[in-house]
Amino acid sequence: MNGPAIWAIYKYEMFRFFRTLMESLASPVISTSLYFVVFGAAIGSRIEQVEGVSYGAFIVPGLIMLSVMTQSISNASFGIYFPKFIGTIFEMLSAPINFLEIVIGYVGAAATKSLIIGVVILITAFFFVELRIAHPFAMLLFLVLTCLSFSLFGFIIGIWAENFQQLQLIPLLVITPLVFLGGSFYSISMLPPTWQVVSLFNPIVYLMSGFRWSFFGAADVGVGWSLLAIAGFTALCLGVIWWIFKTGYRIKS
Amino acid sequence: MTAIVDVDNLTKTYDGGLTALSGVSLRIEQGEIIALLGPNGAGKTTLISALCGITSPSSGRATVGGHDIVTGYRKARAMIGLVPQEVALEPFERVINTVNFSRGLFGRRRDDALTEKILRQLSLWDKRRARIRELSGGMKRRVLIAKALVHEPRVLFLDEPTAGVDVELRRDMWRVVEGLRADGVTIILTTHYIEEAEAIADRIAVIDKGRILLVEEKTALMTRLGRKTLRIDLREPVEAVPASLADYDLELAPDGRSLSYHYDTRGDGTGITRLLQALAAAGLGLRDIQTTQSSLEEIFVGMIREGAA
């Protein structure tokens, strides 16, 4: 393992984040605050409690997940796509490092950034609603695993993308709908029975349910299933990355 | 002398079917400066990319410092510095950060004294806090060189280092190259300018269509490259070269209207004066004379013919 090289990539990527700290943090914080105002205060005041929790508090895990997932994907995909786009990737390829070390550097940095954003949103939430976290360690575990797996996924998108449009395609067409339909702002049990069954095919439902359980102790699906889903997703991403590593797909001719 | 770079039958065929390297073998001695000379698309950059790990060779093997570039890539690449042909730098980064990043990427601890020394050598020290996008084209090239040198490579690849570069940078660069040579660093540069190869290289390898046509000491090659042709158009066509001109090894055109004479500009005497006198003595009237220097392409063709003969 070339530790100094991983550290160099990680540090370099984190510098980019801190260089634009205000932009990086302001947008998720502002959009989350808007969600609280619209969903929590305006609409939420007309909604009864969901699963014994006020609606404003109920949507907190969903809001954090929504931001963390999209931020992980965009950070990691942009992180590796940008050197490909401007040509500086040659330096990675000619350095005495292997692909795994490149992945650890980039994905580690992307996951750290979205973790910071997730925590900032959580802190913001405390200003708007009364919140109690039932299982703090499980909450942290779910949060970290989500940051990691979706950063891995973003890394794959960044390698795959050949232009900026493709970079936006998967997050817009796949992730955002799945997150919205994945019970971020409601409990699956509020859906008609048919749609409840359909929802079970949405992987995000499992992540959301587990994360919400760590806050309120109530879940749509079993916590075990949630952990299994996130482990499976991480394994799938690692598998794809291993294949990219073996074949040099879209990075090395 | 030991070979620090040893390329053995290296072949690269791209997925599209283009063969950029076909069976390249080359031994580069430690501490020498070798120029890879060849036209655009000859395979110069592909050879460098394969040795540096940017493309994977299709077959054959190569070692750098005795380390195989595939199985021992860490040790091999740690010895290599690469200045690419294209300027590829992150526009928003500061000069000093991107240079330090390169050193880290090669697994080396930060060394501020060394970074300062390299930046000063390349007249970049005053610009160290500047962002890349604020720099001129020439300055960006200097940054690329600094990035390639900061991990103290033993083998330096310079891919078309002077393409589009001003005189001042060229001078600075050759000064740096001289310093590196004094430290025993091996330098491999690609170029399609004969003059450039002539100016700094010890040996020259001519490459075309993915093959090494020859590797020669510079002085020997320059003699060959110094040949010119004098064409003499005659007033009246002749059927054969007159016997009195037999010593000059003249070539008669098929239509009998012109004679070609090959000579060496670097020789002690070109023989042109004597030839012209002999032509007059033989009673041949001249309509026109012109001289041509073989272009690089013609030289390559000549070399392929010589190789085949």
Side-chain angles (χ1 to χ4, degrees), chain B residues 87-116:
Chain B
V87 174
L89 290 165
E90 197 180 316
F92 307 106
E93 196 48 85
R94 293 186 198 282
V95 171
I96 189 109
N97 291 348
T98 185
V99 172
N100 281 333
F101 171 67
S102 293
R103 188 172 164 89
L105 206 54
F106 277 75
R108 307 291 300 268
R109 288 201 183 288
R110 203 168 133 172
D111 182 342
D112 290 335
L114 178 79
T115 307
E116 179 174 345

Side-chain angles (χ1 to χ4, degrees), chain A residues 214-252:
Chain A
S214 66
F215 278 82
F216 310 121
D220 289 332
V221 292
V223 179
W225 286 110
S226 295
L227 273 175
L228 201 65
I230 198 158
F233 184 60
T234 309
L236 185 71
C237 291
L238 285 174
V240 173
I241 284 179
W242 178 81
W243 175 79
I244 291 173
F245 171 45
K246 287 297 275 187
T247 58
Y249 174 74
R250 289 203 176 164
I251 21 174
K252 195 168 173 177

Side-chain angles (χ1 to χ4, degrees), chain A residues 1-6 8-13 15-16 19 82-83 86-99 101 106 245 251-253, chain B residues 12 14 52-56 73-75 77-78 80 82 84 87-94 97-98 101-102 104-110 131 144 147:
Chain A
M1 264 303 169
N2 189 342
I6 297 175
I9 297 174
Y10 182 85
K11 215 168 53 176
Y12 196 73
E13 283 296 298
F15 266 132
R16 201 214 308 277
R19 202 163 62 204
F82 195 52
I86 59 174
T88 52
I89 188 91
F90 87 87
E91 205 179 9
M92 304 282 160
L93 297 176
S94 63
I97 53 174
N98 65 25
F99 200 73
E101 289 152 359
Y106 276 104
F245 171 45
I251 21 174
K252 195 168 173 177
S253 51
Chain B
K12 174 65 188 180
Y14 285 103
C52 294
I54 296 167
T55 52
S56 315
Y73 70 94
R74 278 190 203 270
K75 285 183 174 163
R77 288 185 203 165
I80 299 176
L82 166 65
V87 174
L89 290 165
E90 197 180 316
F92 307 106
E93 196 48 85
R94 293 186 198 282
N97 291 348
T98 185
F101 171 67
S102 293
L105 206 54
F106 277 75
R108 307 291 300 268
R109 288 201 183 288
R110 203 168 133 172
R131 294 190 195 282
L144 282 178
K147 279 166 76 74

Side-chain angles (χ1 to χ4, degrees), chain A residues 81-156:
Chain A
Y81 178 76
F82 195 52
K84 254 183 19 162
F85 178 69
I86 59 174
T88 52
I89 188 91
F90 87 87
E91 205 179 9
M92 304 282 160
L93 297 176
S94 63
I97 53 174
N98 65 25
F99 200 73
L100 181 67
E101 289 152 359
I102 298 178
V103 171
I104 295 174
Y106 276 104
V107 170
T112 309
K113 291 178 207 175
S114 40
L115 186 65
I116 293 173
I117 290 171
V119 170
V120 168
I121 293 175
L122 181 62
I123 293 167
T124 313
F126 279 105
F127 288 102
F128 288 90
V129 291
E130 209 171 302
L131 205 56
R132 196 180 59 84
I133 302 167
H135 309 281
F137 285 110
M139 191 276 294
L140 205 61
L141 179 71
F142 271 112
L143 191 60
V144 169
L145 283 177
T146 307
C147 290
L148 259 181
S149 56
F150 277 77
S151 295
L152 284 170
F153 185 56
F155 188 85
I156 295 169

